[in-house]
Amino acid sequence: DKVVDLIDVSFNHDGAPPLFSGVELMLDNRERLGLIGPNGAGKSTLLDLIAGRRSPTTGTIDVGSTVRIGYYDQIGVELDPRQRVREAITGGRREPDWQDAALLESFWFDGDAQWAPIELLSGGERRRLQLLLVLAQKPNVLLLDEPTNDLDLDTLRVLEEFLDDWPGALIVVSHDRAFLERTVADVIVMDGHARPSRRPGGYAAWEEQRRSSMVRGRIADPRKAPSTSSGSSASKASKAKPSEKPATRSPSTLRFLIKDLEKEIKRLTKVKDRLEVKVADLAVSGDHVELTRLGGELTAVLTELEAAEEQWLELTDEAERASN
């Protein structure tokens, strides 16, 4: 039976550059997919399209007639603070059945905790309950958008175990390598430029392939190779001892650079989020001149953000080597 098919799907806000284009995906009923890439590449938007919350700019999305989609996004379903936990799971219309009870107990809502008023729950407990409300719908396609952001480690471990035996299809957006390694088999890389591409083998296989490509690129690019045309350079090279190693930065210097870069990534992310809101508002109001201008700004910020994230990866790799 058909699950979800995406055929030549693209999406962009009116007047803005496409977030992505040419997405082709045929989801099977036991799929385990991760969506990876820098912030702003459209990963959450792609989940919105699959869930039917948005419509693609071009292309088609076909959802099978028996598909039930559960979507745990970064906002979560609205909770009624007057309800108790067990009432929220059933909608207050019936008593929890054995499946509801098992789910509640698995995710640390056992005994008296099931009778707790929602208004007394902590922020983490509310996010855990919002996850349960999605799972209690008994979906056969589950979409998880950055689940590791707000869930505590104990809940994440339970979720991983739940997904191990869960018989449906799964698509996860996450920057958490460990969670992706545990839950998905393949990844789709969305870098904001090239057509999103599927990479078998999960996050680790993609990361290894990415690093190998970077090394090959450095070797193949003559601009990055040492010059031998200068006599003085050749002389210096000939005098270099075979045992000499290129100078490396100290761990403390690298920590400083990484911390500084993380601040810049945080700043760029805030700018990106603000621009995306403005672009979405202008798409409704129809001010195409301003929309085009802000679309250009958004593209520039996304480029800066991607470069900063790439530099962060390189610095963390260097710091890891320096500490060994």
Side-chain angles (χ1 to χ4, degrees), residues 38-39 191-193 268 301-311:
N39 291 332
D191 61 8
H193 298 293
L268 288 170
V301 169
L302 290 174
T303 300
E304 288 184 56
L305 184 58
E306 181 182 5
E309 290 177 332
E310 187 67 31
Q311 187 180 359

Side-chain angles (χ1 to χ4, degrees), residues 94-269:
R94 60 175 176 81
E95 286 294 307
D97 58 24
W98 68 269
Q99 290 177 311
D100 297 324
L103 197 59
L104 284 163
E105 291 175 5
S106 295
F107 284 85
W108 310 102
F109 285 111
D110 52 356
D112 293 341
Q114 296 182 15
W115 294 94
I118 291 175
E119 63 183 353
L120 298 182
L121 298 182
S122 67
E125 289 170 332
R126 291 188 182 210
R127 286 299 282 159
R128 195 193 324 155
L129 178 57
Q130 288 172 327
L131 172 63
L132 284 186
L133 292 179
V134 174
L135 300 180
Q137 298 170 6
K138 301 178 177 63
N140 50 21
V141 174
L142 183 60
L143 311 178
L144 301 177
D145 191 1
E146 298 289 2
T148 65
N149 280 2
D150 302 306
L151 298 176
D152 59 71
L153 289 177
D154 288 337
T155 302
L156 285 175
R157 298 295 85 80
V158 173
L159 177 58
E160 290 172 355
E161 293 171 2
F162 174 87
L163 294 174
D164 282 343
D165 300 321
W166 187 63
L170 172 69
I171 303 180
V172 181
V173 170
S174 181
H175 290 88
D176 188 320
R177 174 173 181 167
F179 185 79
L180 289 171
E181 282 295 289
R182 177 71 189 272
T183 57
V184 306
D186 297 342
V187 295
I188 292 180
V189 180
M190 303 180 67
D191 61 8
H193 298 293
R195 174 181 296 186
S197 57
R198 182 168 182 153
R199 309 291 176 86
Y203 188 96
W206 168 77
E207 177 69 6
E208 179 62 29
Q209 184 181 31
R210 185 187 70 85
R211 293 188 183 188
S212 298
S213 297
M214 290 174 63
V215 171
R216 289 195 300 270
R218 292 191 183 102
I219 294 173
D221 190 343
R223 293 171 298 178
K224 297 178 181 178
S227 173
T228 58
S229 60
S230 167
S232 60
S233 297
S235 176
K236 290 177 182 177
S238 65
K239 294 178 182 178
K241 297 179 181 179
S243 60
E244 285 182 350
K245 296 181 180 179
T248 57
R249 289 175 282 196
S250 68
S252 60
T253 298
L254 290 169
R255 284 195 297 270
F256 173 80
L257 292 173
I258 290 170
K259 186 175 181 180
D260 199 47
L261 195 56
E262 286 173 344
K263 291 180 181 178
E264 177 64 6
I265 290 173
K266 187 175 182 180
R267 183 190 71 80
L268 288 170
T269 300

Side-chain angles (χ1 to χ4, degrees), residues 46-59:
L46 185 56
L47 290 188
D48 285 346
L49 293 177
I50 295 172
R53 295 184 178 182
R54 297 174 184 254
S55 298
T57 303
T58 62

